[in-house]
Amino acid sequence: MTEEFSKNNLGTRAGEYLESVVCKNLEMCVEVLQQCENLLPLADELKIVSRCIDAIASKACVEQIASSFSRLEYSSSGRLHMSRQAKCEGDWWIEDLSILRIDLYQRVITAMKCRGVRPESIGASLVNYAQKELTKKCSLWNPSNQQKVDLVSGLNGHERLVVEAIVSLLPIEKFAVPITFLFGLLRSAVMLDCTVACRLDLERRIGSQLDIATLDDLLIPSFRHANDTLFDVDTVHRILVNFSQQDDSEEDMEDGSVFDSDSPPSPSQSAMFKVSKLVDNYLAEIAPDANLKLNKFIAVADSLPAHARTIHDGLYRATDVYLKAHQSLSDPDRRKLCKLIDFQKLSQEAGAHAAQNERLPLQSIVQVLYFEQLRLRNALFCSYPDDDHKPLHQSWRISSGALSAAMSPRDNYASLRRENRELKLELARLRMRLNDLEKEHVCMKKSMERSNSRKFMSSFSKKMGKLNFFGHSSSKESSSPSKQSQRTDSKLTERT
């Protein structure tokens, strides 16, 4: 069918038809690709597949650019801006691509990413394709349904291939796909026993946006052994570790000038607060599980840094639930568990409950009573501020542990930088003052030396005068013997 046998043969005519008709229409390209699924690798050798894929990617990119221009509109101030729509008009091809086989679909999405199609559009296409291919595992996409599915029917090679391919096609940008979709993929990857790299990639992506997750998202069923925990605690622990490492790396990469600003807490710090509440609720949910080991509970609770929790009420509630469900814990294990709680950061209600909680170790109850007493002293000193201020200051520092712990290392670093600058300025002033004092000291020393020499000469002359070497007498101090005898005679006559 080539030109070697005759001119204008079927091969040339088919190529012209593909170029002039099929490649001009995105729907026809998808249909041709679908027909080529049973003709591989011959269709690939004839470059029919590659030509259709390039045409689909180019057509989708052009239509997306055209739809973006159509969404431009003028604001009231006369500036151009993009109108917000629920769904972009140029993404109608999302539904058409869902009929392709996974290998051809993967090649099409890869070509689209190379051509610059928006990550949101690619993410929407991946969500649509996964929901159609994984319909048999619909319970995985419903986080509220935590019933375990049959592992025998779940171990399907095709579905495992679909999950791994979709994970490899996920855009690198955050929020390109909903986090609920990522958790659904993770449930499928755990159930289908996908590769370790696939699951670690999903855990890393989820950890980067964990602050928008919900409790139902974290409740991942465990598909391993019958005697294992009800929920997959190890996977959640790895997600939390990824979140903490991602927060630390962002803090290290930021410029030091950011710390100098007196701005409110950064978004990463607010995200840390949200995740801490989420973790406390998760711990309270998994705590009643009889198969949950103490080391796993402590690992999840201790996966966040100390400044993540401003109040330990949620952690105390989860710990109390665990102690209630595991009454056979030894005293050392109870003390080890209660070390997670900072009793200074308990609210008044939680502190009152902990003071009467018999499940807590004796050392913990003593700590609670001690801090409650300090809080009461603080309240009394606030009511009578004219009294001694020293106990007030000390009790304030102890009772306001939540306030000091609310500052992240970034905020602490900023305050230290400001204090360091102030100390440097004060030190410079002291040095200047010291130089002035040294100059004054030198001047005073010289003047004192001069004055001392003059005083010495005057005192020396006075002493020499008192010695009366030359027979001269002072008019004020010396007197003759006749005058003295006359004075004594007059005194005696007066007495008589």
Side-chain angles (χ1 to χ4, degrees), residues 48 181 201 361 367:
I48 298 176
F181 175 71
D201 188 14
Q367 291 182 18

Side-chain angles (χ1 to χ4, degrees), residues 169-219:
L169 294 173
L170 288 173
I172 60 175
E173 291 80 5
K174 284 186 179 181
F175 312 113
V177 294
I179 193 171
T180 306
F181 175 71
L182 294 177
F183 274 104
L185 283 178
L186 183 58
R187 289 185 177 89
S188 300
V190 173
M191 187 196 68
L192 298 173
D193 196 17
C194 293
T195 60
V196 177
C198 174
R199 284 178 285 179
L200 292 179
D201 188 14
L202 285 172
E203 292 170 3
R204 179 184 57 81
R205 292 176 182 272
I206 292 173
S208 64
Q209 46 185 322
L210 188 59
D211 55 307
I212 62 175
T214 61
L215 179 60
D216 291 335
D217 293 331
L218 287 181
L219 296 177

Side-chain angles (χ1 to χ4, degrees), residues 256-264 410-411 414-415 417-418 421:
S257 60
V258 178
F259 296 111
D260 297 337
S261 61
D262 295 329
S263 58
R410 183 181 311 174
D411 298 330
S415 62
R417 287 281 298 271
R418 288 192 294 270
R421 287 197 302 268

